[in-house]
Amino acid sequence: MGSQSVQWMQCARVLRRAGFGATGSEIDAAQTLPVADYLRAQLDGSADPGAVQTPLPVFTEPVRPGRDAATDVRKQYQSALTAELQTLTGWWVRRMATAQRPLPEKLTLLWHNHFATSASKVRSATEMAVQNETLRRLGAGDFGTLAYAMLTDPAMLRWLDGTANTAKAPNENLSREFMELFALGHGNGYSETDVREGARALTGWTIAADGSTRLDPKRHDAGSKTVLGVTGSLGAGEFCAAVLARPESARFVAGRMWQQLAADAPPSAAALDRLTAAYGPDRNITRLVVAVLTDAEFLSGTGTVVQGPVEWLVGAVRALAVPVGTDAQVQTQVNVLRTLGQLPFYPPSVGGWSSGQAWLSTAAAQTRLRAATVLARKADLGWLSAIGAADRIDAVGHRLGIGHWSDRSAAVLASVHGDPIRLTAVALNTPEYLTT
């Protein structure tokens, strides 16, 4: 088969990482803009028609049964909670598949993995939805605002025991994970004393019945604390500022962004210097994203990221225009994600999902091939059937944003090029599509 130009291949790499896959037509169109301009346009604040078509559902929290409630009443309550969470998960999968500017949804997914919070413990669609909207609204702004919002977020407080953290009984969970996983990195410039003092600063936050959070002065430790050398009557805001002011924080956040967008491996020291400079003292996430996706080290690479199940599946749905308009249609995709181990709103731990080779197990390969076949059957492949078999390998590559097939992939695709469904399913499982 023929190969696309180096410029086209680099543009394809940017679009595929900035969203959920990309079609050849989208890549052709994007080449008319400088890459940085394209990325900034993706993040502009105007309404996305695809997002407008998929408004966030409004949830009404089921009434919690009393202590003496019968078993069947408790079961009904849990079933109602589960049903609302299923609706929420289906909504987000549909939103990701429908958005016309996918980068904001990609960043929301990225921050969901960074500030990993699971509905398995939170058990509230309202609170998980509030967090999801916060990640989307603040996900391209300054990291300080986003980090503080997560420290006082209802789902996060419930997930990391923040509501149990009081002056009389400090709970270190949120303080520890904030430093270790969200803002500094494990053992990166803080001590156990900082964790304990940070927990005192975060005491007193509660969740109201409407899902909002507030500081209860009676539960808050108003005494003097010292966190990372900063002393005073610290609260959540001062704690957040003290942690983010550490020089280790900027490099940690820049490195995390790189490993979620550009490569499973860490950046070189020189690239990390460039990313940290772009992030800057105002902790600007948009500048950091643009710096990652325009860095020479990223653009010159190939196959440095194994696509996670959400990226892979949503990308395939978008490229093939597979319908997700009904609840049954979207539930089919949700079930695939559950089987592959990456169900939105259910990260396995506060550390988020696995990455890299973890997604390439034999069992996962079998699931992906079955799912890809179902997708191909549900899609309208008339565009592929209408052309001669000899041209179909190039055509399916262009449709999936693949600029070049390896000899091995081309040989496998050639063995099924007479069957558009099998050809498409196999193409979705080639190394060229599974990695970017």
Side-chain angles (χ1 to χ4, degrees):
M1 69 168 286
S3 294
Q4 298 284 355
S5 67
V6 172
Q7 182 187 21
W8 194 96
M9 301 275 275
Q10 288 183 340
C11 187
R13 185 162 159 77
V14 172
L15 265 64
R16 292 182 67 190
R17 294 311 307 155
F20 304 93
T23 66
S25 298
E26 291 169 338
I27 298 162
D28 294 341
Q31 285 193 95
T32 61
L33 287 175
V35 170
D37 290 350
Y38 168 83
L39 294 171
R40 293 190 191 97
Q42 283 274 308
L43 291 171
D44 82 15
S46 60
D48 180 326
V52 172
Q53 293 171 15
T54 54
L56 179 65
V58 176
F59 298 100
T60 303
E61 290 284 309
V63 178
R64 183 186 294 275
R67 274 184 194 175
D68 299 328
T71 301
D72 61 333
V73 174
R74 294 180 183 279
K75 285 183 178 179
Q76 289 172 7
Y77 172 70
Q78 290 299 326
S79 296
L81 292 178
T82 299
E84 287 202 338
L85 287 166
Q86 287 175 340
T87 298
L88 180 65
T89 302
W91 163 78
W92 196 14
V93 171
R94 181 180 289 124
R95 167 67 70 84
M96 288 188 277
T98 307
Q100 293 186 15
R101 292 196 299 272
L103 181 52
E105 293 307 316
K106 184 65 171 286
L107 288 180
T108 305
L109 179 65
L110 182 156
W111 290 126
H112 176 44
N113 190 39
H114 182 83
F115 294 105
T117 306
S118 176
S120 63
K121 180 176 178 180
V122 177
R123 298 293 290 162
S124 166
T126 299
E127 292 172 8
M128 295 302 296
V130 166
Q131 185 185 83
N132 188 263
E133 280 292 272
T134 301
L135 296 175
R136 184 173 294 100
R137 176 168 49 84
L138 302 178
D142 74 271
F143 184 77
T145 301
L146 175 63
Y148 176 75
M150 288 299 104
L151 276 174
T152 57
D153 173 78
M156 183 64 76
L157 289 173
R158 204 175 295 283
W159 170 237
L160 293 181
D161 308 312
T163 55
N165 185 19
T166 66
K168 290 183 179 179
N171 185 302
E172 299 173 3
N173 208 8
L174 179 55
S175 172
R176 183 181 303 282
E177 303 301 4
F178 187 82
M179 293 188 196
E180 180 175 324
L181 295 174
F182 302 159
L184 285 175
H186 182 69
N188 197 17
Y190 63 90
S191 67
E192 285 298 308
T193 299
D194 292 316
V195 171
R196 286 194 293 274
E197 291 288 273
R200 292 179 59 209
L202 298 176
T203 52
W205 284 89
T206 61
I207 305 172
D210 65 356
S212 63
T213 59
R214 67 182 184 89
L215 181 65
D216 182 348
K218 294 179 181 177
R219 296 163 61 91
H220 178 62
D221 182 343
S224 180
K225 311 108 182 166
T226 298
V227 177
L228 297 165
V230 178
T231 301
S233 180
L234 310 180
E238 292 80 10
F239 167 79
C240 184
V243 174
L244 299 192
R246 295 289 304 179
E248 295 89 347
S249 179
R251 296 181 73 78
F252 171 75
V253 173
R256 284 282 292 165
M257 183 66 76
W258 172 271
Q259 288 192 270
Q260 295 211 64
L261 279 179
D264 292 326
S268 68
L272 185 56
D273 286 344
R274 294 190 291 272
L275 303 182
T276 305
Y279 179 68
D282 56 346
R283 307 181 183 104
N284 188 291
I285 298 170
T286 290
R287 280 205 312 267
L288 176 58
V289 170
V290 173
V292 168
L293 295 176
T294 59
D295 193 89
E297 191 167 310
F298 166 73
L299 293 174
S300 62
T302 58
T304 57
V305 183
V306 176
Q307 293 203 75
V310 173
E311 291 178 322
W312 177 82
L313 183 69
V314 173
V317 168
R318 292 175 64 93
L320 300 178
V322 176
V324 288
T326 69
D327 290 345
Q329 289 168 337
V330 81
Q331 190 58 44
T332 299
Q333 311 313 331
V334 168
N335 291 340
V336 172
L337 293 176
R338 182 183 288 109
T339 303
L340 287 172
Q342 193 182 29
L343 186 64
F345 296 109
Y346 292 88
S349 73
V350 69
W353 283 282
S354 301
S355 61
Q357 296 294 315
W359 297 124
L360 298 179
S361 68
T362 301
Q366 293 172 344
T367 300
R368 279 196 308 269
L369 186 57
R370 286 196 299 270
T373 302
V374 172
L375 289 172
R377 286 177 177 150
K378 292 181 180 298
D380 180 358
L381 297 182
W383 55 273
L384 190 56
S385 303
I387 60 179
D391 295 325
R392 289 177 181 169
I393 298 176
D394 282 353
V396 77
H398 188 262
R399 185 64 171 239
L400 298 180
I402 307 299
H404 173 76
W405 295 114
S406 68
D407 290 343
R408 184 176 182 182
S409 292
V412 174
L413 293 168
S415 69
V416 293
H417 71 320
D419 182 340
I421 291 177
R422 290 186 65 195
L423 174 61
T424 303
V426 171
L428 288 171
N429 284 280
T430 56
E432 289 85 349
Y433 191 75
L434 290 170
T435 63
T436 49

